[in-house]
Amino acid sequence: MAAMAENEPLDESVSQPNGRIISAESRVNGHALRTSNGQVYRTESNGKISVNGIQQHIEAPCCRDIHGKEPPDGGARAWLVMVSAFLCNGVIFGLINTYGVLHKLLTERMTAQGDAEANSKAALVGSLAIGTTFFLSPVAGCLTDKIGLRLTTFIGGMLASGGLLLSSFSANNINALYFTYGIMFGLGGALAYTPTLAILGHYFKRYLGKVSGFVTAGSSVFTVILPPGLDWLLGSYGLETTLRIMSLMAAFIIVCSFVYKPLHLPLHVPKKKIGRSRLAVFMRSVINVEIWKRKRYVIWALCVPLALFGYFVPYVHMMKFVETSFPGRDVNLPVMCIGITSGIGRLIFGVIADMPGVNRMYLQQLSLVCIGLVTLLLPLTSSYVLLVTFALVMGLFDGCFISLLGPIAYEICGPSGATQAIGFLLGLCSLPLTIGPPVAGMIFERTGSYTLPLILAGLPPLLGSSMLFLMRCVKDEGAPKTANGVAAPQNGDIETSSNGDYRLKAVKSNAPLMSSSENGVSNGYALTNGSASAAKSIGSTENPNGLNGHANGHVDVPDPTTE
């Protein structure tokens, strides 16, 4: 099948085994169908749907794959997507995690200029970058569903690369760096990171855990490689040139965005109700409210941020803890151990997560429990060797936790809701990740010891992991059923058919779907109960499978909400 750009409509008819479809000529001529409520649905020549003469907006699909009914789980393009996502993830978080190299030089420059608050001001630049990346992830999720994975990633790459390039021209102005490095680069990272996780579910299902582990390991690999490289660049060419080379690295995100051709449709179409304001309709068209109707996702999205209040404390304060508890020992070794085993853990637990019978949620709970227990044991450690061992264990389960975020989002919300599910989760996580380390620092300054801060940091992961068991007590009765890995909405607004077309309230759109519908509709038409009477007036015959088949090839699909 020839490659197709995003939002490109079908321009030719597709033959069906037991019915007819509306060809491109019929759509141009304005094929219309009158329903029992008196409304006339017409497909205009521009591909949009009009109801009683008023055009209705339907989300165009990101691409078409009318032959494949499951993610391919392999193939040249799938592996290319995986490598591109690995590079994107590595570049984004590799640059964010290695800001400490730049922080040292910025602090020295500002101190030489007589700034008494040089350390905290320079640290704020890096904090803004990581905080913006996570905090604006919900925006990235909504934007992805609105304009597509490819374009969102492209914009993210442009902002990240442009922010670093502008930073090179304002390296001596800390206030300018707050915007160019902190906000622009952080926003670019947010817009690129969420699609990087979401695209994997379009190409992988059976190997999703392994692939997610490999992709998320990119940040660990780049975090290990970049510090010595950046340190050499700073010593040889200075801060300005180093920032320009970092900008060139971020430009790889732009190149990778062209590979992100999605294979699933964003099936979220807002219901239009009488009395609903235009603002409400617009907000519902931007935000996928269906994911918040799923109790399991709500519990997951609230418990994981709760667990992360103490999650980041050991990573931030480990060097200071080693300096105070084990004077003369290498302060960098435990942090390096965490980074190395985190990458290994993402690969190992990615493989484990794909094994038959393995519950990914239990695996993530196990990772939080282990991280919490190790954090509680850190202040009781009297041996440096034992401390390094704890760091190795912590990194291993950190990799487990990170690698399972994407697969669990797909498992709970399906392909149509996974993008925003990931985005909102990361946005909620930004607050505890930002608040936890400063609070631990304040407690240390008052007590002079890391015993209380680390004990308090170890409790939230244990509490959050325990509360995740609430997911076993709820059932998403309103969750849409899935067919061939594609979520089918419960309200009957969209029905899928085997020719890759989808319909809104019995109106056939020129936008394709990926797979056949669960109820076996194969003629390209599907009617909900709301428009069944219109088809009955044409003449119908009963079908033994419970569907009402009509002489013109229409099929009545019972509304699952009434079953």
Side-chain angles (χ1 to χ4, degrees), residues 491-495 505-506 526-532 555-557 559:
N491 56 21
D493 285 348
I494 297 180
E495 298 292 340
K505 291 294 184 185
L527 301 179
T528 62
N529 283 345
S531 57
V555 176
D556 282 345
V557 181
D559 191 342

Side-chain angles (χ1 to χ4, degrees), residues 19-219:
R20 64 183 182 85
I21 70 167
I22 305 172
S23 66
E25 294 179 359
S26 300
R27 288 195 296 272
V28 172
N29 293 333
H31 178 86
L33 174 66
R34 182 178 295 275
T35 61
S36 58
N37 60 6
Q39 290 184 323
V40 176
Y41 294 86
R42 181 180 297 276
T43 306
E44 304 293 352
S45 58
N46 60 3
K48 292 190 176 181
I49 303 299
S50 65
V51 181
N52 293 338
I54 302 175
Q55 283 193 349
Q56 303 295 315
H57 173 71
I58 300 178
E59 282 298 316
C62 295
C63 78
R64 66 173 177 178
D65 183 4
I66 62 177
H67 298 296
K69 295 183 179 180
E70 291 280 351
D73 269 319
R77 190 176 191 91
W79 301 123
L80 186 59
V81 165
M82 182 187 74
V83 173
S84 299
F86 173 87
L87 291 175
C88 283
N89 193 286
V91 168
I92 294 167
F93 285 99
L95 294 177
I96 288 176
N97 293 340
T98 56
Y99 173 75
V101 180
L102 304 182
H103 173 265
K104 181 181 178 182
L105 183 58
L106 280 174
T107 302
E108 291 174 354
R109 280 192 177 187
M110 295 175 65
T111 302
Q113 295 172 359
D115 194 331
E117 299 177 345
N119 194 305
S120 59
K121 286 183 178 180
L124 183 57
V125 177
S127 299
L128 280 174
I130 185 66
T132 303
T133 299
F134 282 98
F135 185 71
L136 295 182
S137 289
V139 176
C142 296
L143 195 62
T144 297
D145 280 352
K146 202 67 179 172
I147 65 175
L149 286 157
R150 184 181 293 173
L151 185 55
T152 303
T153 309
F154 178 83
I155 295 173
M158 291 288 290
L159 285 171
S161 181
L164 291 172
L165 183 61
L166 290 175
S167 297
S168 68
F169 295 103
S170 55
N172 293 319
N173 187 341
I174 193 68
N175 293 321
L177 287 177
Y178 291 152
F179 176 75
T180 57
Y181 195 103
I183 305 299
M184 279 189 67
F185 174 63
L187 176 58
L191 295 182
Y193 179 56
T194 301
T196 293
L197 295 182
I199 189 65
L200 301 179
H202 291 245
Y203 285 87
F204 299 94
K205 183 177 181 181
R206 186 173 47 172
Y207 304 129
L208 183 58
K210 299 182 184 72
V211 172
S212 296
F214 175 80
V215 168
T216 53
S219 60

Side-chain angles (χ1 to χ4, degrees), residues 181-457:
Y181 195 103
I183 305 299
M184 279 189 67
F185 174 63
L187 176 58
L191 295 182
Y193 179 56
T194 301
T196 293
L197 295 182
I199 189 65
L200 301 179
H202 291 245
Y203 285 87
F204 299 94
K205 183 177 181 181
R206 186 173 47 172
Y207 304 129
L208 183 58
K210 299 182 184 72
V211 172
S212 296
F214 175 80
V215 168
T216 53
S219 60
S220 299
V221 172
F222 277 70
T223 300
V224 172
I225 294 175
L226 283 180
L230 292 179
D231 196 39
W232 178 80
L233 284 172
L234 287 170
S236 303
Y237 300 100
L239 179 60
E240 288 77 9
T241 302
T242 301
L243 286 169
R244 286 166 194 154
I245 294 175
M246 291 169 63
S247 173
L248 190 61
M249 291 177 58
F252 274 102
I253 300 173
I254 301 173
V255 178
C256 293
S257 69
F258 292 102
V259 181
Y260 288 2
K261 179 182 178 181
L263 298 182
H264 296 319
L265 283 174
L267 295 181
H268 165 57
V269 177
K271 295 180 181 179
K272 301 212 172 167
K273 294 184 179 180
I274 298 175
R276 181 176 288 168
S277 66
R278 289 185 178 181
L279 178 60
V281 172
F282 172 75
M283 292 301 296
R284 291 176 71 89
S285 70
V286 172
I287 300 174
N288 188 351
V289 296
E290 296 301 319
I291 64 175
W292 296 104
K293 295 180 181 178
R294 307 191 185 188
K295 299 173 185 176
R296 296 178 69 238
Y297 174 73
V298 172
I299 293 174
W300 186 55
L302 295 179
C303 291
V304 168
L306 174 63
L308 297 188
F309 269 102
Y311 181 88
F312 211 49
V313 171
Y315 299 88
V316 174
H317 294 278
M318 180 63 76
M319 288 189 287
K320 185 69 175 177
F321 172 69
V322 174
E323 188 178 290
T324 56
S325 301
F326 303 95
R329 294 286 189 168
D330 188 354
V331 297
N332 293 314
L333 181 59
V335 178
M336 290 177 60
C337 290
I338 292 176
I340 293 171
T341 54
S342 177
I344 297 173
R346 298 175 196 204
L347 298 175
I348 294 175
F349 286 100
V351 174
I352 295 174
D354 284 339
M355 291 181 177
V358 173
N359 189 306
R360 290 168 176 168
M361 184 57 66
Y362 287 165
L363 207 57
Q364 192 171 66
Q365 288 178 264
L366 174 65
S367 68
L368 290 173
V369 169
C370 292
I371 290 172
L373 289 176
V374 170
T375 304
L376 287 173
L377 292 173
L378 283 178
L380 306 177
T381 306
S382 58
S383 167
Y384 182 74
V385 175
L386 188 59
L387 174 68
V388 172
T389 304
F390 284 159
L392 292 170
V393 174
M394 184 177 293
L396 197 67
F397 286 99
D398 169 76
C400 173
F401 172 78
I402 296 296
S403 66
L404 292 176
L405 291 177
I408 289 176
Y410 267 90
E411 194 173 285
I412 295 176
C413 298
S416 64
T419 305
Q420 292 199 28
I422 295 171
F424 278 108
L425 177 70
L426 295 177
L428 290 171
C429 290
S430 66
L431 296 177
L433 287 175
T434 305
I435 294 173
V439 171
M442 291 171 59
I443 297 175
F444 171 75
E445 289 175 355
R446 294 188 178 185
T447 62
S449 169
Y450 272 110
T451 300
L452 182 58
L454 289 175
I455 289 177
L456 293 177

